[in-house]
Amino acid sequence: MSRIAEVVVLAADAHEVMAPLTQDNDGTRPWHNIFVPIESQWAGTFGRGWAAEFTHRRHWAKLLEYLEAVPWPRPETVQVLIHDEEDDCFGLWMLYDGKLLEVPLPRTERYIEPSSGTGDDSTDISYLLRTDCGPDDARTAYGERPTP
């Protein structure tokens, strides 16, 4: 399934560990996309964020596992924001005990689409939906959307 996802990584003092992710893949990661530093309008004042756009879920499916293994200098500052094409807002993952876990956001719910044929939950397709929006909001503008 072709879906675009925007991924933002925020972390303090992480220039050295993020540097390889801003270069072409050297074969050590399961995707080929490159992260671009997020620059402040005031040179040298922010510089703790990186962004990438992935065009297929399979290209970023192993991203969280990869980022868990990075030797972050300050793991308590690591935040990963992911906005899949049909999400209502960015989801937030943070490191807890070495694992990137999704942080529940107020007034949102992750809907996991049942896999075809079996009815079992499939982690391949999910949507982060706002629960405080009415039927005429932006999420219905793209067509019929699942409801949690």
Side-chain angles (χ1 to χ4, degrees):
M1 171 169 275
S2 178
R3 290 169 50 175
I4 295 173
E6 298 164 304
V7 178
V8 176
V9 176
L10 303 171
D13 304 322
H15 292 285
E16 189 174 315
V17 297
M18 285 299 293
L21 302 182
T22 65
Q23 307 297 318
D24 287 333
N25 188 356
D26 61 1
T28 60
R29 59 183 189 257
W31 71 88
H32 294 284
N33 301 60
I34 296 172
F35 279 85
V36 177
I38 300 171
E39 299 294 334
S40 170
Q41 63 181 346
W42 298 285
T45 59
F46 183 64
R48 58 171 65 186
W50 297 263
E53 185 174 270
F54 293 82
T55 55
H56 294 86
R57 181 165 176 88
R58 70 177 185 273
H59 293 168
W60 65 272
K62 300 285 184 183
L63 175 67
L64 295 176
E65 290 174 28
Y66 182 92
L67 294 175
E68 286 174 349
V70 169
W72 299 102
R74 296 184 50 205
E76 73 279 5
T77 68
V78 175
Q79 299 172 59
V80 179
L81 301 158
I82 300 175
H83 185 273
D84 206 349
E85 187 173 280
E86 295 186 30
D87 291 342
D88 287 339
C89 59
F90 276 87
L92 169 65
W93 282 257
M94 295 177 68
L95 276 172
Y96 294 104
D97 300 322
K99 291 285 187 192
L100 276 165
L101 302 175
E102 187 169 14
V103 177
L105 300 174
R107 299 182 182 183
T108 65
E109 186 171 331
R110 179 146 317 265
Y111 171 83
I112 300 174
E113 189 172 291
S115 61
S116 59
T118 65
D120 295 331
D121 283 349
S122 167
T123 57
D124 289 340
I125 301 173
S126 69
Y127 309 95
L128 184 60
L129 303 176
R130 294 284 305 254
T131 59
D132 60 345
C133 297
D136 295 329
D137 64 14
R139 73 178 173 187
T140 59
Y142 300 107
E144 195 62 34
R145 294 278 307 276
T147 313

